[in-house]
Amino acid sequence: MTDMDLVNAVSEGRPRRSWTFTIGAVIVGLHLLVGLSTLFWTPYDPSAMSGGRLEVPSFEHLAGTDRLGRDLFTLIMIGSRIALTVGIGAVIIGGLIGITIGLIAAFASKTLDDMLAAGLDILIAFPTLLLAMLIVASSEGASLGTAIIAIGIANSAIVARLTRILAKRVLAMDYITASRISGTTWLGVVIIHILPNIWPTLLVNLALQFGLAVIAEASLSYLGLGAPPPNASWGRLLQEAQGTVYSAPFGAIAPGIALVSLVIGINLLADGLRDIADPTRRRRS
Amino acid sequence: MPAILSYLSRRLIILLVSILVAAMVLFLLLRLLPGDPANALVSVGADPEQIEAARRQVGSDLPLSEQFIHFVSSLARFDLGNSFVSHAPVLPEIGKRLAVTVPLTLMSFTLAIVIALPLGIIAAVKADRWYGWLISVVSQFGIAVPVFWIGILLVTLFAVNLRFFPSGGFPSRGWQRPEAAFDSLVLPVITIAIVMSASLIRYVRSATQDVLGSDYLRTARALGASFSEALIRHGIRNGSVPVISIIGIELASTLLGAVVVERVFSLPGLGSMLLLGIEQRDYPNVQGVLFISTLLVLLIGFAADLTQRIIDPRLRGRAAGSSR
């Protein structure tokens, strides 16, 4: 099972049209817009009591209020910002580390390459969440930063393995030999030949990692290992809602819908990206 | 020596080496992380002598190499040390918690396979029908849903509104009260099975699609076999090879991913022991849980590799370790 199969498996079964990209972009764009707008404006003060405790959804409070009387819709909007911050941060960290290690492994001697590959396999065998938990636990106190770094590092192993496989495939080509003979340095080979050839597949994989990072962030904060209050992460909202599930079951619905919609949006975006980035697929459809 | 035996012996050596390497990585990871394990024993603002005494007690004042030798030799005697907090030996505690986590994992896993196999095959064979398409779309949505949200929703529906099952907890006498123990695992098992079958369906479907496009299936049809006959006689064995390696990975990640589900349903399993250990900085407990779960993951991988060899004779000629 390679990452390519994973990438392919996600897309199959749905008609391959770029409408997936459009819908995905609209959903993610909406979350981005909402998340950014919370920097300037929210319907209510996120830390103030704006209504009674555990009010059911109404016109004033679209998603109801939490056990402290805070407006849930406001908190969910801020959750968009936190999810996107962690997701984007983790993808950037995971991408930088993963692509670097993957390229090193692809160029390295056989022994070093084998060692790196085996190490990556062990890392990948551990679920992202567990690695992230370890990293968060070992640092002094959980924060938004530790969550980003932890998820980023956990994801980098998958990116590294994919980069290694893709780069090796390109390195085996005759034009690499020709390029080397004509005097191109190894760095030049990476920039001129390897990166342009592998970025479409990498980009799709990074987009999928983005969706996984959003779920991982929510899980970490659900476990109490994510960003501490007053950061209103969706995972923490759901954890708090579980505590009041007998008196106010509606509290567990809205944050979950927000979370799932963002992940589906990202997955659709990844799917559409693949169709656009890969011309062979475009011709087939 | 028959090929399968030589494969078995080579694969066993790889297994042993990986266990040793995993122990080493785990040891280094926990030691290189900032923070001294002795910190768990002293209160904030302790004077240097108290800290020194705590470090001697824990053994963190010794050089790394001596600590590692001590760690490995204890492992060889099946001694995972004592908890810093409760001072109870770690291994029996893990055994007690496996009695929750292992049944939870195996039951969810079985249920997930029972759901995913037929649905995945239908999704591939009947892709042009509305229900085949529906299965694909629903499984697609399934992978976007975090497991703990499904857990919370199931609690809301079945434990709060319908009052069919307990919303969490586990009988204190455990499996001595089988019905109560089973009841408390129903919702967690369904939770994991839903998430797991969503991703399994996708693998089963793509494996079936590969089979459907294969030459051997066309040949079998040309020789007069009916479609379902050809699919059952040739398809299942061929299609199961990639699915088994996925099942191995999924089983391992369910085992470790039980952390979140155990938190949702407050089950006293391996995951909650790990979480508690991390919160209390109880290094022996964290180290023990991680080592035992790594061991289980490696054993599952070993079993999956071996099963693949038995099913697919083409793999038998290949050397151990090159299956990926």
Side-chain angles (χ1 to χ4, degrees):
Chain A
M1 185 69 194
T2 65
D3 295 294
M4 288 301 299
D5 296 334
L6 193 73
V7 167
N8 292 334
V10 172
S11 78
E12 277 156 14
R14 222 176 312 117
R16 287 195 190 91
R17 283 180 226 129
S18 57
W19 60 262
T20 53
F21 183 82
T22 317
I23 297 176
V26 168
I27 297 175
V28 176
L30 215 60
H31 275 281
L32 205 62
L33 208 66
V34 169
L36 283 176
S37 73
T38 58
L39 290 172
F40 312 103
W41 174 85
T42 49
Y44 292 94
D45 180 348
S47 52
M49 264 184 76
S50 56
R53 289 166 190 218
L54 298 171
E55 272 183 31
V56 292
S58 64
F59 194 68
E60 284 85 56
H61 299 284
L62 290 175
T65 58
D66 72 354
R67 64 192 162 84
L68 298 174
R70 296 173 301 182
D71 180 49
L72 261 181
F73 195 76
T74 303
L75 296 177
I76 291 170
M77 284 174 66
I78 295 173
S80 275
R81 186 178 79 212
I82 293 170
L84 287 168
T85 310
V86 174
I88 293 171
V91 164
I92 290 175
I93 290 179
L96 285 179
I97 299 178
I99 293 172
T100 312
I101 295 181
L103 286 176
I104 291 174
F107 280 102
S109 65
K110 189 161 183 331
T111 338
L112 180 61
D113 179 35
D114 283 348
M115 273 166 59
L116 282 173
L120 290 176
D121 273 353
I122 292 180
L123 274 181
I124 289 166
F126 271 86
T128 303
L129 194 61
L130 203 71
L131 270 181
M133 267 172 68
L134 261 185
I135 296 168
V136 169
S138 65
S139 50
E140 293 300 320
S143 69
L144 207 60
T146 54
I148 294 176
I149 294 171
I151 299 170
I153 290 178
N155 285 349
S156 64
I158 293 175
V159 178
R161 189 170 65 170
L162 182 63
T163 308
R164 172 179 167 269
I165 297 168
L166 292 172
K168 285 193 113 162
R169 208 176 288 162
V170 177
L171 275 177
M173 296 288 172
D174 287 339
Y175 59 77
I176 299 291
T177 320
S179 178
R180 286 287 292 148
I181 292 169
S182 68
T184 318
T185 59
W186 281 120
L187 189 66
V189 169
V190 168
I191 294 168
I192 301 169
H193 297 296
I194 295 183
L195 288 180
N197 266 305
I198 68 177
W199 78 261
T201 316
L202 270 184
L203 196 66
V204 172
N205 186 262
L206 287 177
L208 289 173
Q209 299 290 326
F210 185 12
L212 293 176
V214 170
I215 293 185
E217 188 275 331
S219 308
L220 275 181
S221 52
Y222 174 76
L223 294 173
L225 296 169
N231 293 301
S233 160
W234 291 329
R236 210 163 50 73
L237 291 180
L238 286 170
Q239 187 240 324
E240 285 173 6
Q242 198 190 354
T244 58
V245 78
Y246 282 91
S247 46
F250 59 85
I253 310 284
I257 292 177
L259 170 54
V260 172
S261 73
L262 177 59
V263 178
I264 288 177
I266 294 168
N267 286 352
L268 288 175
L269 196 68
D271 222 22
L273 266 181
R274 179 185 21 254
D275 294 349
I276 293 167
D278 187 349
T280 54
R281 227 173 232 286
R282 216 172 351 185
R283 230 176 289 128
R284 245 185 286 150
S285 58
Chain B
M1 195 160 34
I4 190 78
L5 276 185
S6 85
Y7 172 76
L8 188 66
S9 55
R10 261 179 301 171
R11 189 62 185 78
L12 264 176
I13 292 171
I14 291 180
L15 177 69
L16 290 177
V17 171
S18 343
I19 291 174
L20 206 69
V21 169
M24 206 158 86
V25 169
L26 199 58
F27 174 84
L28 282 177
L29 202 65
L30 285 173
R31 294 306 181 287
L32 294 179
L33 294 174
D36 194 294
N39 288 349
L41 295 180
V42 294
S43 49
V44 181
D47 53 59
E49 283 116 72
Q50 281 176 307
I51 295 177
E52 202 43 51
R55 289 191 52 166
R56 249 196 315 281
Q57 192 187 334
V58 190
S60 64
D61 58 332
L62 299 170
L64 265 188
S65 55
E66 272 178 56
Q67 287 187 47
F68 183 64
I69 292 169
H70 180 74
F71 174 62
V72 173
S73 63
S74 314
L75 270 189
R77 284 178 276 120
F78 299 106
D79 176 11
L80 290 172
N82 292 342
S83 156
F84 284 166
V85 179
S86 67
H87 303 289
V90 173
L91 196 60
E93 178 66 20
I94 289 180
K96 212 160 65 189
R97 292 186 173 253
L98 281 178
V100 177
T101 302
V102 168
L104 172 67
T105 310
L106 289 182
M107 287 198 286
S108 335
F109 185 64
T110 316
L111 184 61
I113 292 180
V114 169
I115 298 173
L117 272 186
L119 289 186
I121 293 175
I122 291 172
V125 176
K126 302 284 181 192
D128 50 345
R129 297 295 188 79
W130 65 268
Y131 50 90
W133 179 83
L134 190 71
I135 294 170
S136 304
V137 171
V138 170
S139 70
Q140 185 76 26
F141 277 71
I143 56 162
V145 184
V147 65
F148 65 90
W149 191 45
I150 293 191
I152 296 174
L153 291 182
L154 286 180
V155 166
T156 314
L157 184 63
F158 287 103
V160 177
N161 291 324
L162 300 175
R163 298 179 190 273
F164 283 171
F165 303 105
S167 65
F170 197 72
S172 53
R173 277 188 292 150
W175 290 100
Q176 285 172 335
R177 291 180 55 207
E179 313 87 54
F182 186 79
D183 270 0
S184 58
L185 286 186
V186 171
L187 287 183
V189 164
I190 296 176
T191 304
I192 301 180
I194 288 176
V195 174
M196 205 174 171
S197 53
S199 68
L200 268 183
I201 284 175
R202 286 161 44 247
Y203 293 119
V204 173
R205 193 193 54 208
S206 73
T208 313
Q209 276 169 340
D210 288 349
V211 169
L212 289 179
S214 66
D215 292 339
Y216 59 79
L217 199 76
R218 197 184 52 198
T219 309
R221 293 277 285 130
L223 290 172
S226 75
F227 179 73
S228 49
E229 213 180 328
L231 196 62
I232 290 166
R233 276 195 58 190
H234 303 283
I236 289 179
R237 186 160 175 173
N238 275 294
S240 61
V241 174
V243 173
I244 283 172
S245 69
I246 288 303
I247 284 179
I249 295 171
E250 291 270 325
L251 183 59
S253 66
T254 313
L255 188 78
L256 299 170
V259 179
V260 186
V261 178
E262 284 174 7
R263 168 59 66 99
V264 175
F265 295 97
S266 16
L267 293 173
L270 212 57
S272 54
M273 180 174 174
L274 178 66
L275 214 55
L276 194 70
I278 287 175
E279 275 160 21
Q280 299 177 330
R281 310 223 156 226
D282 192 344
Y283 279 70
N285 270 359
V286 172
Q287 186 173 281
V289 172
L290 288 177
F291 180 71
I292 294 295
S293 36
T294 314
L295 195 70
L296 290 174
V297 168
L298 291 171
L299 285 175
I300 292 168
F302 176 71
D305 274 7
L306 218 59
T307 318
Q308 276 184 315
R309 295 283 153 150
I310 292 166
I311 292 181
D312 190 347
R314 284 168 301 181
L315 288 173
R316 284 181 206 150
R318 278 205 244 150
S322 65
S323 60
R324 271 179 223 201

